[in-house]
Amino acid sequence: MRPGWRRLFRLDVGSGRVERDVDDELAFHLAMRERRLIDAGLDPAVARREALQRFGDRAAVRAECVSIDQDRERGVRLTRILETLRQDAAYAWRAVRHHRGFTVVTVLILALGIGANTAIFSVIDALLLRSLPVPHPEQLVAIGDQERTDGLSTGSPRTDLLSYPLYADLRDNTRVVGGLAASGSTDRLDVVFPSDSAAGSRAGDATIEHPHGRFVTGNFFTVLQVTAALGRTFTAEEDGAPGGDPVVVISDGYWRSRFGGDRRIVGRTMVVNGTPLTIIGITPPGFFGDIVGDREDVWLPMMMQPLLMPHSPRLSDRSVSWLLALGRLLPGRAVGEAREELRALAARSMLANVDAAEAGAVHRTVRERPLAVEPGGAGFSPYRGTFAQALFTLMTAVGLVFLVICANVANLMLARGAARGREISIRQALGAGRRRLVQQLLSESVLVAFAGGLLGLLVAQWGSVLLLRLASDGPNPIPVVLSRDSRVLWFCFAASLLTAALCGLAPAVRGTRVDLTAALKGQGRGLAGVAGTPGGVPLGKALVAVQVALSLLLLVSAGMLVRSTARLTRSDIGVARDRLVSVTLDAQRSGYAGRRVAALARDLTDRVAALPGVAAVSVSKNGIFSGFESATTIGVEGFTAVRDADTIVTYDAVGPDYFRAVRAHLLLGRDFETGDDESGPRVAILNATMARFYFPRGDLIGRHVSYRGIAFQIVGVVSDIEEQDLRQAPARRLYLPFYQLPQLPGRLNFEVRSSGDAAPLVAPLRQALRAADPALIVDDLEPLTDLIRDSIARDRLVTQVIGSFGGLALVLAALGLYGVMAYTTVRRTNEFGLRLALGARSVDIVRLVLRDVALLVAGGVILGVPLTFAGTRLLRGQLFNVRVIDPPSIMVALVVLAVSAVLAGLVPALRASRVAPQIALRAD
């Protein structure tokens, strides 16, 4: 290789330069020594050997010199880097202080974008990513459906929830899981503190409170490895005899809010559902239990369940499934091993404890729906499945808004770069390198971006709470702990870095590409980055086109979601919803059982029917949009099942005149009547879907269906009623007379038809229930329209957020369009003045500017239409009766964009049309 090429590729950087310098220095010393020996009279070859010999171990000397020089080089390089960063930071600080207005606007815009993204990520982190606040959560396994945290099922054994006997079998026989703890819902708790009533004037002055609680096994805290911050937690002794350990553990949050952090609380008594319990401990701060999204106030021993809920004993009944379990894997074991073992144990336990008549159904359950065993580090959550897709959709939407914001800020920086063209030109003329200038300009972007990130953390804190409040559809947000953990902080940091790159890199590179001669003469009026390169698309206009494209996608998405939500809200559920009030009460916990439930139902029906404004009233087991559903296996006269699923239907038990009360359409036969009671013939009504499935020829009146071995004669067919989920297709549903059930339910639902507006009927209904029995526990009393609205909270959350950010993106795009057109018209002042001087009218100038606006928006639309067609497919799971390509939404979005573009371009156009020709022609 020739020396010229060698010099070309030996760049003066890195460790190679140090080694070359050392080699050159050693070669110089050898050459000098060799020269002295030659001058002394030695032959050159002999002198060379003598010089090498006197020099000693050349390799060792070279290595030591290289090491010393490399250390010195690293120190010099680090010092140089730090000094450069210090200079850049100082320069950036002076620059942002000098342009305070620009800095404040930019920081606020960036804070909105970074904060919105961080807010969504905070909720995703809290609900989907964060582990339970316990040691080594990766060792935990979750058994049961992780969303059914308050689930309760009676009847055939299930695998999504555990009965206590099934849990005990798994706990006692597993060899893969070192500890297995279970927890279950307590329903509503009525709590009184005797010390409060003692301080009052009468014993009854104590206020009844309703803290949120959960039944847990004695090893619950041991399995989770959670120790008490004060007092103690439960031990294995609390799993002894039922009712033998009247103790309770309370949370740190409840301790501080209810008792003000009084350390003397341990040992005090609290009366829960009429039973005195002793407070034995307080959990550490930050521990909320095993349910993400439900901050527990109290934990109660599982063995106290029969005493605290005497009308619903659950510990010995295998037909009551209500528990979820968490286990901790033994060392060296994996979740797959636990899944295989626990499923085998569950199947063995379930099949060993059923009679021959139910064995087939249980075997099908075990085979088709095996026990759910999954990693349990994230605990259980009733919101995870409901909001996961919605949150990721929102994250995508907010990410698009983030890009719009970055494009808008980049345009602002491009405009600012134009004003600094002369400054940059002078610095380049004085010898500043372009790379150094780009670095300094980027330092300004980094400073502004991190200021936006810090402010964005405050926006995120407010925004995440707002999101949870919107999702919960009420003033109280979902109780998710939104702590700013390391993931959230790193996300905000990464978003700030990305913002600095997206907003600052292109303007910095473009801003340093200037014409020195023109700039120094004061004629460099072209906006760096906006004017663009000859033959290319101006960068500022390209950024506006991107904003228009992203805004189109968000506007179309918002329009589709608005239409979808509107159709959900107005969808036909099979009943007249507008004047219907739903009442749900807990008869069992109110002290009613057996036939007393029937007497209570009749009494309340009569009382409510006598209220002014009540047109009809009836009772049901599950209710409409109450969140409760029942399913069973039936036999149908004349029907032969092909699959096991053919015998499974949903069912409800309803009172007399139920279908008249809810205004459902009877297609055949009759409604239930007063005589359809305990002494009357067993009758049943089918919905239309069930009738078509089992009796396609329509010959069903007088046929029989069997429920739990009892034959019911079909007396009618009713139209399909969507009772729980607006999105689901109507299921096969069987209706039985409420008073003919073999066992009456402990929870009652009343459907009350109002003769006018339903809302004014709520207060009289409460008074009537209180008059019947002041101890009645009323869980819900709401118009049906409110219940339906609550059922689509997820859809409304997505619609509201995407709609809001779609509007924000539109405003930002309009501002970007206005900024570009305003600067462009200023640059074209000479042109407009010349046109006016040659006879052009003001309207011609306006038309000319608006034409440029139209071309710019058209470019954005051309870019945005295919992006919209691709992006809206992500909404497929969120839409109801709306296609992924929805022409009305697209047309509305285009009209909104067009109007916004005209408004954004009209002001610069009018300003250009009013320029005096003589002034314009003299402009430099």
Side-chain angles (χ1 to χ4, degrees):
M1 183 178 290
R2 291 180 299 173
W5 286 103
R6 196 159 49 244
R7 285 196 301 272
L8 176 63
F9 286 102
R10 283 185 179 178
L11 302 178
D12 192 27
V13 293
S15 61
R17 183 183 63 81
V18 174
E19 294 175 357
R20 288 192 297 273
D21 288 346
V22 171
D23 289 339
D24 291 342
E25 185 176 357
L26 292 178
F28 170 77
H29 286 294
L30 282 172
M32 292 299 296
R33 184 166 296 183
E34 182 180 351
R35 172 57 58 189
R36 286 196 297 269
L37 291 174
I38 291 173
D39 291 343
L42 292 180
D43 181 75
V46 176
R48 177 69 178 176
R49 287 195 301 271
E50 182 67 18
L52 288 172
Q53 184 177 359
R54 290 183 182 183
F55 195 86
D57 189 350
R58 183 181 178 186
V61 173
R62 180 184 184 275
E64 184 176 358
C65 291
V66 167
S67 177
I68 293 172
D69 283 4
Q70 284 180 340
D71 290 342
R72 185 183 298 114
E73 176 73 15
R74 279 193 292 268
V76 171
R77 187 185 303 118
L78 179 61
T79 301
R80 188 183 301 119
I81 291 174
L82 292 177
E83 178 61 21
T84 301
L85 290 178
R86 186 194 66 78
Q87 292 176 356
D88 290 344
Y91 175 81
W93 176 246
R94 289 196 303 270
V96 298
R97 287 185 61 191
H98 183 67
H99 302 88
R100 290 186 179 88
F102 174 85
T103 301
V104 169
V105 172
T106 305
V107 168
L108 290 176
I109 293 176
L110 291 180
L112 180 61
I114 297 173
N117 279 271
T118 305
I120 297 288
F121 182 80
S122 297
V123 179
I124 291 177
D125 175 57
L127 285 178
L128 307 179
L129 305 179
R130 190 182 302 164
S131 299
L132 291 177
V134 301
H136 304 293
E138 72 281 355
Q139 299 174 356
L140 296 175
V141 291
I143 297 96
D145 186 341
Q146 299 190 21
E147 296 181 24
R148 299 201 63 187
T149 55
D150 293 326
L152 172 66
S153 175
T154 59
S156 300
R158 302 177 66 94
T159 52
D160 54 347
L161 295 169
L162 308 179
S163 65
Y164 186 81
L166 175 57
Y167 154 74
D169 289 343
L170 298 179
R171 178 197 61 195
D172 297 339
N173 293 286
T174 178
R175 297 295 179 266
V176 176
V177 179
L180 194 62
S183 68
S185 172
T186 62
D187 294 335
R188 192 180 79 168
L189 297 176
D190 297 327
V191 174
V192 173
F193 291 91
S195 58
D196 294 344
S197 61
S201 59
R202 299 189 310 274
D205 285 346
T207 302
I208 297 178
E209 302 177 6
H210 307 289
H212 200 279
R214 197 156 181 86
F215 286 115
V216 297
T217 53
N219 62 346
F220 178 78
F221 295 100
T222 302
V223 169
L224 294 182
Q225 298 181 0
V226 173
T227 57
L230 189 64
R232 70 172 180 89
T233 58
F234 300 145
T235 64
E237 296 179 358
E238 271 76 38
D239 276 338
D245 292 284
V247 294
V248 61
V249 172
I250 66 175
S251 70
D252 177 81
Y254 189 56
W255 172 54
R256 296 182 185 279
S257 63
R258 177 59 179 80
F259 305 104
D262 184 1
R263 300 180 66 85
R264 296 171 299 175
I265 191 63
V266 174
R268 282 183 59 181
T269 299
M270 58 189 295
V271 180
V272 181
N273 292 359
T275 301
L277 303 179
T278 301
I279 300 174
I280 62 171
I282 301 167
T283 59
F287 178 74
F288 51 79
D290 57 340
I291 311 298
V292 177
D294 281 339
R295 294 181 182 175
E296 309 297 344
D297 297 317
V298 298
W299 289 270
L300 305 165
M302 188 75 67
M303 290 295 107
M304 294 301 296
Q305 190 276 329
L307 204 62
L308 297 177
M309 302 174 67
H311 302 291
S312 180
R314 302 174 182 178
L315 295 186
S316 59
D317 195 343
R318 287 185 176 270
S319 67
V320 180
S321 301
W322 63 296
L323 299 177
L324 297 172
L326 279 176
R328 194 171 285 274
L329 292 170
L330 290 171
R333 299 291 190 167
V335 175
E337 296 177 79
R339 183 182 296 115
E340 183 177 352
E341 183 204 46
L342 292 172
R343 284 180 174 178
L345 291 175
R348 188 185 313 153
S349 173
M350 294 167 67
L351 290 170
N353 293 278
V354 296
D355 54 31
E358 294 185 359
V362 173
H363 190 271
R364 287 193 299 270
T365 299
V366 170
R367 184 180 69 251
E368 298 174 2
R369 296 183 295 277
L371 186 70
V373 181
E374 301 296 337
F380 307 106
S381 176
Y383 307 107
R384 197 170 288 148
T386 302
F387 290 101
Q389 182 181 3
L391 287 173
F392 283 115
T393 301
L394 292 181
M395 193 73 192
T396 302
V398 176
L400 295 176
V401 175
F402 176 69
L403 294 178
V404 173
I405 287 175
C406 289
N408 201 275
V409 172
N411 251 337
L412 290 176
M413 290 188 171
L414 283 172
R416 185 185 172 197
R420 300 175 64 182
R422 184 176 178 84
E423 170 201 343
I424 293 172
S425 302
I426 293 175
R427 297 180 67 187
Q428 285 184 333
L430 293 176
R434 189 179 178 201
R435 183 182 65 83
R436 187 73 178 85
L437 290 174
V438 169
Q439 181 178 323
Q440 286 189 344
L441 294 177
L442 273 178
S443 67
E444 297 180 37
S445 300
V446 170
L447 184 60
V448 171
F450 276 96
L454 291 176
L455 186 58
L457 284 175
L458 299 178
V459 175
Q461 184 173 3
W462 171 80
S464 55
V465 174
L466 176 62
L467 279 173
L468 293 178
R469 182 170 287 117
L470 289 173
S472 62
D473 191 48
N476 299 316
I478 295 174
V480 175
V481 180
L482 293 171
S483 60
R484 298 291 176 259
D485 61 11
S486 58
R487 272 192 301 268
V488 175
L489 295 178
W490 276 112
F491 178 87
C492 187
F493 176 76
S496 301
L497 279 182
L498 181 61
T499 300
L502 292 177
C503 296
L505 187 58
V509 172
R510 191 67 188 87
T512 56
R513 189 186 302 164
V514 296
D515 183 349
L516 288 180
T517 304
L520 293 175
K521 288 181 178 179
Q523 304 298 324
R525 297 183 53 191
L527 174 57
V530 172
T533 56
V537 178
L539 180 56
K541 293 185 177 181
L543 290 174
V544 171
V546 170
Q547 293 183 62
V548 171
L550 296 176
S551 299
L552 178 63
L553 170 57
L554 287 168
L555 288 173
V556 172
S557 300
M560 294 168 64
L561 289 169
V562 167
R563 282 166 49 79
S564 173
T565 304
R567 291 188 175 186
L568 269 173
T569 305
R570 297 194 302 266
S571 63
D572 182 13
I573 64 171
V575 302
R577 67 176 82 180
D578 295 335
R579 298 182 178 182
L580 199 62
V581 178
S582 176
V583 182
T584 302
L585 56 88
D586 196 329
Q588 277 192 341
R589 294 186 57 230
S590 302
Y592 293 85
R595 303 319 301 177
R596 290 190 64 208
V597 175
L600 174 67
R602 289 189 172 99
D603 179 45
L604 293 180
T605 300
D606 293 340
R607 288 175 180 268
V608 172
L611 291 176
V614 173
V617 60
S618 189
V619 65
S620 65
K621 176 179 180 291
N622 291 327
I624 302 176
F625 285 92
S626 63
F628 294 92
E629 186 68 285
S630 300
T632 187
T633 301
I634 63 168
V636 180
E637 180 183 348
F639 177 81
T640 302
V642 177
R643 303 171 302 162
D644 293 335
D646 291 345
T647 63
I648 299 176
V649 299
T650 60
Y651 77 96
D652 199 358
V654 301
D657 295 328
Y658 175 81
F659 299 110
R660 183 176 71 88
V662 300
R663 297 285 174 86
H665 301 291
L666 276 170
L667 306 177
L668 286 175
R670 65 174 178 86
D671 199 345
F672 291 131
E673 300 171 350
T674 306
D676 297 323
D677 56 12
E678 303 90 330
S679 59
R682 308 284 182 175
V683 294
I685 295 175
L686 280 56
N687 76 340
T689 298
M690 183 174 176
R692 286 192 300 269
F693 184 81
Y694 291 112
F695 303 98
R697 293 184 298 180
D699 53 342
L700 73 164
I701 299 297
R703 298 287 191 93
H704 292 81
V705 296
S706 61
Y707 164 76
R708 295 191 178 182
I710 303 173
F712 290 77
Q713 186 180 39
I714 301 172
V715 297
V717 177
V718 69
S719 61
D720 291 329
I721 300 176
E722 191 54 74
E723 303 203 12
Q724 304 300 336
D725 191 340
L726 292 172
R727 293 180 177 275
Q728 289 184 351
R732 300 190 297 271
R733 189 177 300 276
L734 172 69
Y735 295 95
L736 303 174
F738 180 84
Y739 298 106
Q740 290 184 356
L741 282 180
Q743 181 179 359
L744 291 179
R747 187 183 300 271
L748 303 180
N749 291 273
F750 292 88
E751 285 71 31
V752 184
R753 170 65 57 186
S754 172
S755 57
D757 186 15
L761 197 58
V762 171
L765 279 173
R766 290 190 183 277
Q767 295 174 1
L769 296 175
R770 193 177 298 114
D773 185 351
L776 275 178
I777 298 175
V778 180
D779 290 333
D780 287 298
L781 201 165
E782 293 184 78
L784 182 60
T785 51
D786 292 350
L787 294 177
I788 294 175
R789 188 181 67 250
D790 293 346
S791 72
I792 58 173
R794 178 195 64 182
D795 301 271
R796 291 188 297 105
L797 167 68
V798 176
T799 301
Q800 290 171 355
V801 175
I802 291 184
S804 300
F805 281 109
L808 174 63
L810 178 65
V811 171
L812 291 173
L815 289 175
L817 181 62
Y818 168 79
V820 168
M821 295 311 302
Y823 186 81
T824 302
T825 55
V826 171
R827 289 183 60 246
R828 298 173 66 183
T829 300
N830 287 348
E831 174 194 344
F832 294 147
L834 183 59
R835 288 177 179 271
L836 291 170
L838 293 177
R841 298 173 301 167
S842 296
V843 68
D844 297 325
I845 302 299
V846 171
R847 187 182 301 113
L848 186 63
V849 174
L850 291 182
R851 185 191 66 182
D852 291 344
V853 171
L855 291 175
L856 192 55
V857 173
V861 170
I862 292 172
L863 177 64
V865 167
L867 181 65
T868 299
F869 287 163
T872 52
R873 295 183 182 277
L874 299 176
L875 297 175
R876 184 181 291 109
Q878 305 282 337
L879 300 177
F880 178 78
N881 287 343
V882 175
R883 294 180 296 176
V884 292
I885 298 178
D886 186 46
S889 298
I890 296 173
M891 293 303 298
V892 170
L894 290 175
V895 170
V896 171
L897 271 177
V899 172
S900 302
V902 170
L903 293 177
L906 193 57
V907 174
L910 292 175
R911 185 181 300 144
S913 68
R914 295 168 183 165
V915 173
Q918 61 273 22
I919 297 177
L921 292 174
R922 287 199 301 267
D924 56 1

